[in-house]
Amino acid sequence: MKKQKKPETRVSRKGRTAQHQALYDRFIEKLILAREEARLTQRDVAARMGRPHSFLSKCETGERSVEVFELIQLAQIYDKPPQHFLIPD
């Protein structure tokens, strides 16, 4: 008799990051501060990335997570090393 697999339970993106929420909040703060220091608007940055304004807005509110390659792109735009956003201070 074959053993049946249990269906995989999916966890929401927010559920996966709940234990690291304070670190992620600091990450977002650093992204916003870097953009402001570069004197760029969300629209400016989104245009440079070839993305709609809502993309950056959602990233900065935590509604959407930032992928690694997007972080590298943002770091280049803000003239910061990617690790600047990852190392807590």
Side-chain angles (χ1 to χ4, degrees):
M1 185 175 200
K2 263 189 171 178
K3 197 174 187 179
Q4 287 187 335
K5 277 184 156 182
K6 288 184 181 181
E8 181 182 331
T9 304
R10 295 204 172 242
V11 179
S12 73
R13 194 174 293 254
K14 287 184 179 184
R16 289 192 302 241
T17 60
Q19 71 188 57
H20 304 291
Q21 193 62 51
L23 281 173
Y24 197 78
D25 290 345
R26 182 64 186 131
F27 167 75
I28 291 171
E29 287 173 15
K30 286 182 170 187
L31 281 177
I32 294 168
L33 184 60
R35 179 179 55 75
E36 290 171 346
E37 287 174 350
R39 296 180 179 212
L40 296 169
T41 66
Q42 289 180 341
R43 290 187 189 281
D44 294 334
V45 176
R48 288 184 187 193
M49 295 178 77
R51 305 299 281 272
H53 167 254
S54 62
F55 161 80
L56 196 62
S57 176
K58 288 178 180 180
C59 289
E60 289 187 359
T61 60
E63 188 178 335
R64 182 194 185 287
S65 63
V66 177
E67 295 181 12
V68 173
F69 292 109
E70 294 165 346
L71 175 60
I72 292 169
Q73 204 174 9
L74 289 167
Q76 290 172 339
I77 292 168
Y78 300 148
D79 197 28
K80 305 251 186 224
Q83 60 268 28
H84 166 80
F85 303 97
L86 303 174
I87 300 171
D89 35 37

